[in-house]
Amino acid sequence: MIRKVSFLQRKDSAAGVKDDAGYLDVALCELKHPPPQLCPMPEGLSSQQVVRRLILSSIVQSESSYLDSLNRILQEYQRPLLESQNGILKPKEVREIFYRLQEIHQCHFMFQIALASRVTEWDHSETIGDLFVASFSKSMVQEVYSDYINNFTNAITLIKKACTSKPAFLDFLKNKQSSSPDRITLYGLMVKPIQRFPQFILLLQDMLKNTPKTHMDRLPLQLALTALESLAEKLNEQKRQADQEAEIRQLARSVGDRNLNKRLNSEQRQLIQCELLTEIVYGNKGQVIKMKERKVFLLNDILICANVDLKGPPNISGLVPVGPKYTVKWCSPLLQTQVVEVGQDRQQRSDSVITARRRSPTHSTTGKVFLGPPRLYQELQELQHDLAVVEEVSLLVGTLHGTYQNLNSTVSQDWCLALQRLMRLKEEEIQKANKCRLRLSIPGKPDKSGRPVNIIVVFNTPSPLSKITWVNRLHLAKTAHRQENTPGWEYAEEYVKTKAPISCPLLTCKLPVFSSKTPSLKLEAALHSPSQSSLLGFCIASTSLPQGYLWVAGGESSFNNGQVQIFSLNRATPRLVKTVPLSSPVLCLEYVKEPCPSTEEREAPSAAKIGNIICVGLQDGSICVYSSVDTAVQCLLTLVNPDRSPVLCLKHSLSFLFAGLANGKVTVYHRRAGERLWDVESCRLVSVGCEPVCSLLTLEDAVWASCANRVTVIQGSSLHTQSFTAHSDPGCSVRHMIRSGGGVWMAFTQGSSIHLFHTETLEPLQDVNISTRTTHLRPGRVCVSSLLMCQGLLWVGTSQGIILTFPLPTLEGIPKITGKGMTSLNAHCGPVDFLVSSSSTLDSFLNSTVEGANREAEGGRGGGAGDEELRKCEQRSLQQDSEASPPREEKPKRLLLQYRLHSTCQLPGKLLSAQPEQGTHRPPTGCLEHSPEDCSIYEVSEDPDVWVRGRPVEWWKEGEVRRNKVTSTAIFSGGRGHRRIGQMSSLGTCSASTENTLLVWQLPLTLSQ
């Protein structure tokens, strides 16, 4: 491939289109360069070599097929249209439609030539990673693909216009499709360049999995994965941005309001989320009378609902996607839009009038309305009233002096238990209904008296995941408008237009740690102790911090005391729930997850489970092992090293606990098979130097221990050691180590550079000086005080309190820093003492999906369905049409909580039942008999900070849970005080600079399999 120099460039002013002559059109003969072919497989190959050959064959076939598709576009579409004597399209239009495809073809034809040479030598070298690096890490490849992707939406728009205005072009496309053997359309061919690099990544991942660690192709494959992932990420971001701009342009064309149209065309507007949802309109009695598909747009400052017309010309709908036409129905300011769940209408302001979206506005009421499935919340209120009455009766029964059959304290208590169980089941029905229903309170026109009116609009989402995503995006979009997030980060100029307002971490809160009366206490460590419960509301879970508890530890050396504070994260702002004093300053913490039990342990009689545990390293040389059961803190074991040397760092593997000591040694404790805790007598010492062991990092069965400027790799079982030098200056001790993919980033006690090392060859791969990446670091001594890797971002905390982030690859490649990074405009007044991530999954809210939630109107579309039929439809969570399917009786799913069980089964007389009598007008709501098997009272705590624990997900069943893994993530930084830098720095100085402070950042929900 030949790059054109400046004096050869030619501007075609007559064409008036983009200059697509960035490359010379070099004619390459396919006869001289035949496609690559693998020779017959030789004998004596290992299984891995056989698999690698098969993957190579897949790469060759995939690339050949891709080149054929590009050839078809150029030879069967572009050339005939340019050479057409009938003038089907103007040459300018043809060049715009097929912009940069010729250059893409050249890139891959040159790659195929090099691939053919590599395939020929495969049985001698077996290397291919370096070929991918050389072919696709060049800037010219990114340029041509970026230009093609940025122009893709425009190209499809030109094709659609030509199909409607020029019948000859439409006939041309139809003839080409009908004559092709695979009947693929032009659109199907043109979308292949967008899908190309994800296909390469999958193939190289398979190749890397089957490449031994000692193979010479191992590191080149990892570098190739890094290059392809970085390229694919940039192209995906450009495609996302182009699609969003196209959506906003399409929406702006249908807006009649000048102010709204001006706002949509503003450069400050950004599209956060848009999706096709189903709006539900209810009647006076709560029955569904109308459903209509709407397109809902969430921008950074406004929410827009539009009617959708997806119908296009029928003769082109099969050839190219037809864009929708929108008619704006309403728009609402983002900050005045609220998410409302079933039963939350009472929490609205007393001066507001709440109405539901109904067919006729004359039927709007100013009192109580039924949101979602009709009468569910009203029935819950009736049960609450009945329970209050029965509790009073129970108190009166307790005052009886005589003994009466079925009229004593046991019976009356069972009445209460049955009603509480019914209430719990009703709450579960409401929660299921909430899973796929998005209820929004938007401001309407004031009534005649001038009182504000809030209108409730209800949408059905395609899935619970969609509902959770909408609630989370609305919450984060509002958070982005806070003063501390406007702006919250500083990044390179080229990213200003493409960065979405919620793509950066958002500062959600800042709070003090430790008492202000003890300012000498120093923050040392923190960790997240996950804990899940289904008691947290569906929407609350998607907007609050990751579920669980945050342990923050520190100490005061002069007074020789330590402290651990436990914060509950089960809400939007952390809340202190427990303080644990210790006799010695805390220097480090380590969270140990419950290991996967063996088959024998699972089949054996269940013993008392300890659950997850937390190890606390103290300055007096001891390690306290605590059970991690919510806020309950119980010391299970104390380990003391023989030298009584302070414990500076802790790490664990499946069978070992490693402790880095201040005297240059590493203590290793072994855990026997089947045991939960480590054996005190198994303590072994490994000397790695004379300086303190500042950092530990576990990699598979080994641990990396840093001592001064060297790192020692200790094998867990044999304790064999291997060391290497991490810095040329002996005075620069390794302070932090963090792993990402196939590399380890290290920070040092001196200097502002961080170094990247390969995990397998221990070779240095990259050095980055962070002081040159931002202008906010003051001149002078700067060093890295903390490191964290989370969701593709490397967080770097500095000694000046400033935090930087760098994007890193998230696959198995080498985590090289290629971008310019971002600087947080929210900083500490002193060094960043620690950076900790917390994450939790919302699987419990997604496992029981409500597939029929989108069919709610089928049972009452005409408004003639009776209450009984509607109730049956509710009991099945609207999964089927109530008229088409007979009612089926299912035993309700129980809540896995603590409970007390009482029963009247042994008493004489008729069994008490919570089921209504046959003569009542209310039909039974499922199998709700008060029997010895299923009667229970659930002790549900009102405060979500202290949960009644549910049954944890067993390790061997985690694969089932991972089907829909939605992860909530937050980042915590600890240091002295809080300050704003950059544009806001002139408004004030550090606030409470001597107070230990936590800064909390929240990230958008992520979906993974």
Side-chain angles (χ1 to χ4, degrees):
M1 186 177 297
I2 303 177
R3 179 78 177 182
K4 286 194 67 176
V5 295
S6 59
F7 62 84
L8 290 178
Q9 291 182 356
R10 175 177 56 86
K11 292 186 178 179
D12 190 358
S13 57
V17 297
K18 305 171 188 175
D19 180 18
D20 58 355
Y23 298 83
L24 285 177
D25 189 3
V26 181
L28 297 171
C29 180
E30 294 187 5
L31 296 178
K32 294 183 180 180
H33 304 285
Q37 289 185 349
L38 266 172
C39 60
M41 185 180 300
E43 297 180 357
L45 296 181
S46 65
S47 59
Q48 280 190 330
Q49 289 177 311
V50 172
V51 173
R52 282 171 57 83
R53 279 181 63 94
L54 293 175
I55 298 172
L56 178 65
S57 177
S58 298
I59 294 174
V60 171
Q61 294 176 9
S62 174
E63 184 65 12
S64 177
S65 174
Y66 179 59
L67 269 176
D68 288 343
S69 298
L70 295 177
N71 268 322
R72 286 175 60 179
I73 299 175
L74 297 175
Q75 302 301 324
E76 299 180 15
Y77 288 92
Q78 183 184 30
R79 178 176 291 181
L81 290 173
L82 287 174
E83 297 175 353
S84 175
Q85 302 299 326
N86 300 325
I88 298 177
L89 290 179
K90 297 178 182 179
K92 171 187 173 181
E93 295 175 330
V94 177
R95 284 195 291 268
E96 287 187 11
I97 290 174
F98 303 105
Y99 182 61
R100 288 298 198 187
L101 273 172
Q102 182 65 43
E103 288 84 354
I104 292 177
H105 179 268
Q106 287 186 12
C107 288
H108 284 270
F109 194 84
M110 298 297 292
F111 172 68
Q112 189 185 53
I113 295 174
L115 181 62
S117 174
R118 192 58 57 91
V119 167
T120 305
E121 304 170 354
W122 179 258
D123 292 323
H124 301 286
S125 62
E126 288 193 9
T127 57
I128 196 175
D130 57 333
L131 176 60
F132 277 91
V133 174
S135 300
F136 298 112
S137 61
K138 299 175 181 177
S139 60
M140 62 181 69
V141 178
Q142 181 181 340
E143 288 176 7
V144 295
Y145 268 96
S146 296
D147 291 343
Y148 178 80
I149 288 177
N150 292 336
N151 184 67
F152 183 78
T153 303
N154 178 54
I156 299 303
T157 302
L158 288 174
I159 294 175
K160 287 187 287 188
K161 288 182 178 179
C163 286
T164 56
S165 61
K166 299 181 179 181
F169 180 68
L170 179 60
D171 294 337
F172 172 79
L173 293 183
K174 287 182 177 180
N175 293 334
K176 288 296 181 183
Q177 182 191 7
S178 60
S179 61
S180 63
D182 51 8
R183 309 278 295 178
I184 192 171
T185 63
L186 174 61
Y187 175 81
L189 292 171
M190 292 186 65
V191 81
K192 287 183 179 292
I194 300 176
Q195 304 166 344
R196 186 60 192 142
F197 290 107
Q199 294 170 352
F200 271 152
I201 289 174
L202 292 175
L203 291 169
L204 289 188
Q205 282 181 310
D206 289 340
M207 183 71 82
L208 183 62
K209 289 177 183 177
N210 292 278
T211 303
K213 291 185 177 181
T214 56
H215 199 285
M216 61 183 302
D217 198 28
R218 180 81 178 180
L219 180 58
L221 279 174
Q222 292 174 323
L223 292 172
L225 264 179
T226 299
L228 291 177
E229 183 186 357
S230 177
L231 179 57
E233 190 68 28
K234 292 177 182 177
L235 298 179
N236 286 340
E237 181 63 24
Q238 291 178 356
K239 181 68 169 60
R240 182 194 64 82
Q241 185 69 19
D243 291 344
Q244 289 186 353
E245 291 179 356
E247 283 279 4
I248 293 179
R249 285 196 301 268
Q250 185 73 16
L251 179 63
R253 294 191 191 104
S254 61
V255 174
D257 189 347
R258 283 188 176 182
N259 293 331
L260 181 58
N261 189 289
K262 184 177 180 181
R263 186 184 301 182
L264 289 175
N265 291 315
S266 171
E267 292 185 357
Q268 282 75 28
R269 60 95 184 96
Q270 289 178 318
L271 182 64
I272 297 175
Q273 176 98 349
C274 66
E275 192 175 10
L276 198 64
L277 305 178
T278 303
E279 184 181 10
I280 310 172
V281 181
Y282 294 99
N284 292 333
K285 296 183 179 180
Q287 75 274 18
V288 177
I289 59 176
K290 182 181 177 182
M291 295 178 71
K292 183 69 175 180
E293 283 191 338
R294 310 286 190 197
K295 191 68 172 284
V296 185
F297 300 84
L298 173 61
L299 283 79
N300 53 329
D301 61 348
I302 194 170
L303 186 72
I304 299 176
C305 177
N307 194 17
V308 185
D309 182 12
L310 293 174
K311 295 181 180 179
N315 52 353
I316 72 169
S317 59
L319 298 173
V320 63
V322 180
K325 296 181 180 179
Y326 302 123
T327 304
V328 175
K329 304 299 292 184
W330 53 263
C331 58
S332 172
L334 176 65
L335 297 180
Q336 299 181 33
T337 304
Q338 302 292 334
V339 177
V340 182
E341 293 291 11
V342 171
Q344 288 185 353
D345 54 317
R346 298 182 304 171
Q347 301 175 8
Q348 298 290 330
R349 295 180 302 173
S350 59
D351 59 345
S352 297
V353 179
I354 303 175
T355 62
R357 295 274 291 180
R358 304 181 186 280
R359 173 171 293 183
S360 174
T362 58
H363 296 294
S364 298
T365 61
T366 60
K368 186 190 305 179
V369 297
F370 304 110
L371 307 180
R375 303 188 64 172
L376 281 179
Y377 187 66
Q378 183 186 20
E379 291 173 357
L380 178 62
Q381 289 182 318
E382 292 173 356
L383 287 173
Q384 291 173 343
H385 170 268
D386 293 348
L387 178 62
V389 173
V390 171
E391 285 177 345
E392 292 180 3
V393 172
S394 179
L395 293 175
L396 294 175
V397 169
T399 62
L400 293 175
H401 296 286
T403 302
Y404 307 96
Q405 180 181 356
N406 281 353
L407 193 60
N408 51 48
S409 298
T410 303
V411 174
S412 59
Q413 189 176 15
D414 262 9
W415 294 345
C416 296
L417 300 184
L419 285 171
Q420 291 188 29
R421 180 175 179 274
L422 286 175
M423 289 171 55
R424 189 64 218 169
L425 294 176
K426 190 62 62 180
E427 289 173 356
E428 288 181 358
E429 287 185 62
I430 294 174
Q431 190 179 50
K432 288 179 181 179
N434 279 332
K435 284 189 176 181
C436 286
R437 286 171 182 78
L438 178 66
R439 296 171 177 82
L440 301 176
S441 172
I442 62 174
K445 294 182 180 179
D447 61 4
K448 294 181 180 180
S449 62
R451 295 175 61 195
V453 175
N454 291 335
I455 300 176
I456 300 294
V457 290
V458 184
F459 295 100
N460 267 7
T461 60
S463 65
L465 173 61
S466 173
K467 160 73 179 292
I468 264 191
T469 303
W470 272 101
V471 176
N472 180 258
R473 295 298 188 266
L474 283 165
H475 168 71
L476 292 181
K478 292 179 182 180
T479 305
H481 282 271
R482 297 178 184 174
Q483 182 179 2
E484 57 267 23
N485 292 314
T486 53
W489 294 83
E490 182 179 88
Y491 32 79
E493 294 182 0
E494 58 264 28
Y495 299 129
V496 172
K497 292 184 179 181
T498 59
K499 282 286 185 182
I502 65 171
S503 61
C504 303
L506 298 173
L507 185 67
T508 58
C509 62
K510 50 185 181 293
L511 67 155
V513 186
F514 300 145
S515 173
S516 57
K517 299 179 181 179
T518 57
S520 58
L521 280 175
K522 184 180 182 303
L523 289 175
E524 292 289 352
L527 58 78
H528 176 234
S529 175
S531 180
Q532 290 188 349
S533 173
S534 56
L535 294 182
L536 203 59
F538 188 61
C539 286
I540 297 177
S542 61
T543 57
S544 64
L545 297 172
Q547 300 178 38
Y549 299 90
L550 181 72
W551 287 46
V552 180
E556 192 174 8
S557 300
S558 57
F559 293 95
N560 199 29
N561 63 353
Q563 191 176 113
V564 173
Q565 287 192 343
I566 303 176
F567 293 84
S568 169
L569 305 182
N570 307 326
R571 55 180 66 224
T573 303
R575 178 181 175 184
L576 179 63
V577 293
K578 195 176 189 65
T579 300
V580 182
L582 296 170
S583 59
S584 180
V586 181
L587 302 181
C588 56
L589 298 172
E590 175 71 355
Y591 171 76
V592 183
K593 188 175 182 179
E594 184 178 5
C596 178
S598 62
T599 306
E600 294 77 9
E601 293 174 354
R602 271 181 263 167
E603 295 176 353
S606 57
K609 292 187 177 181
I610 300 176
N612 301 326
I613 61 178
I614 294 177
C615 300
V616 181
L618 304 179
Q619 190 172 358
D620 61 6
S622 60
I623 303 172
C624 299
V625 181
Y626 291 97
S627 62
S628 173
V629 183
D630 297 332
T631 58
V633 178
Q634 178 185 3
C635 187
L636 305 174
L637 180 68
T638 301
L639 304 171
V640 181
N641 65 80
D643 300 334
R644 293 277 181 174
S645 181
V647 181
L648 303 182
C649 48
L650 287 168
K651 286 295 176 182
H652 78 282
S653 63
L654 187 59
S655 302
F656 297 95
L657 176 66
F658 302 92
L661 307 181
N663 60 1
K665 297 179 182 179
V666 175
T667 306
V668 184
Y669 296 93
H670 181 258
R671 179 166 49 193
R672 297 175 182 175
E675 295 291 332
R676 188 66 184 89
L677 299 176
W678 295 273
D679 185 4
V680 180
E681 305 298 330
S682 65
C683 175
R684 291 182 290 176
L685 294 176
V686 179
S687 178
V688 295
C690 300
E691 300 293 326
V693 179
C694 296
S695 180
L696 292 174
L697 178 67
T698 52
L699 299 177
E700 286 82 30
D701 354 355
V703 62
W704 289 25
S706 69
C707 182
N709 64 333
R710 296 185 62 80
V711 174
T712 301
V713 182
I714 306 173
Q715 299 299 328
S717 55
S718 61
L719 298 186
H720 291 163
T721 61
Q722 176 188 4
S723 62
F724 64 95
T725 301
H727 201 286
S728 57
D729 185 358
C732 292
S733 301
V734 179
R735 186 175 185 179
H736 300 284
M737 296 187 292
I738 192 76
R739 180 185 183 178
S740 174
V744 173
W745 280 102
M746 298 185 186
F748 304 90
T749 54
Q750 297 181 17
S752 57
S753 294
I754 54 176
H755 297 184
L756 174 65
F757 291 84
H758 193 215
T759 57
E760 298 165 7
T761 63
L762 309 182
E763 298 177 6
L765 301 175
Q766 188 182 20
D767 297 344
V768 175
N769 187 354
I770 64 166
S771 63
T772 62
R773 301 301 181 107
T774 179
T775 59
H776 297 291
L777 288 171
R778 298 186 298 272
R781 187 174 180 180
V782 180
C783 64
V784 177
S785 59
S786 53
L787 275 181
L788 174 68
M789 176 64 192
C790 181
Q791 287 193 6
L793 284 179
L794 177 65
W795 292 65
V796 181
T798 65
S799 57
Q800 295 184 6
I802 295 177
I803 298 173
L804 299 91
T805 63
F806 299 93
L808 292 183
T810 57
L811 300 179
E812 303 90 337
I814 302 300
K816 284 191 171 184
I817 293 177
T818 56
K820 296 184 178 180
M822 302 186 300
T823 303
S824 173
L825 300 182
N826 294 284
H828 291 282
C829 303
V832 181
D833 294 322
F834 59 76
L835 286 165
V836 174
S837 65
S838 65
S839 62
S840 66
T841 57
L842 306 181
D843 306 312
S844 57
F845 299 100
L846 299 176
N847 285 340
S848 54
T849 58
V850 188
E851 297 177 357
N854 296 329
R855 306 183 186 179
E856 182 179 14
E858 296 182 10
R861 188 180 296 273
D867 287 349
E868 185 171 342
E869 187 177 1
L870 283 170
R871 200 182 313 281
K872 293 176 182 177
C873 186
E874 292 169 358
Q875 290 169 11
R876 293 189 296 272
S877 299
L878 305 177
Q879 292 183 358
Q880 302 179 28
D881 188 340
S882 59
E883 298 178 357
S885 303
R888 67 180 175 182
E889 191 172 2
E890 293 182 356
K891 188 160 185 172
K893 197 172 182 180
R894 297 187 195 170
L895 199 65
L896 299 177
L897 299 174
Q898 293 178 347
Y899 62 89
R900 292 185 311 225
L901 180 61
H902 297 280
S903 179
T904 59
C905 62
Q906 303 300 327
L907 296 177
K910 183 180 177 180
L911 280 175
L912 292 175
S913 173
Q915 185 175 0
E917 297 296 333
Q918 297 294 329
T920 61
H921 69 282
R922 297 170 66 95
T925 59
C927 183
L928 302 180
E929 274 198 359
H930 183 57
S931 62
E933 290 80 13
D934 61 11
C935 167
S936 59
I937 176 172
Y938 297 93
E939 298 175 336
V940 181
S941 174
E942 295 294 333
D943 187 0
D945 290 318
V946 182
W947 285 333
V948 183
R949 285 185 55 83
R951 186 178 301 170
V953 178
E954 306 293 351
W955 268 39
W956 61 90
K957 296 181 181 179
E958 281 188 347
E960 303 175 4
V961 180
R962 290 174 184 167
R963 286 175 296 183
N964 286 316
K965 186 176 181 181
V966 181
T967 305
S968 171
T969 306
I971 306 296
F972 300 86
S973 70
R976 295 280 183 179
H978 167 258
R979 62 187 174 103
R980 289 279 290 171
I981 61 175
Q983 299 176 355
M984 304 295 295
S985 59
S986 60
L987 300 182
T989 57
C990 289
S991 61
S993 59
T994 61
E995 189 175 33
N996 290 308
T997 305
L998 277 181
L999 300 183
V1000 186
W1001 282 271
Q1002 194 167 0
L1003 279 68
L1005 295 179
T1006 57
L1007 174 66
S1008 60
Q1009 298 296 329

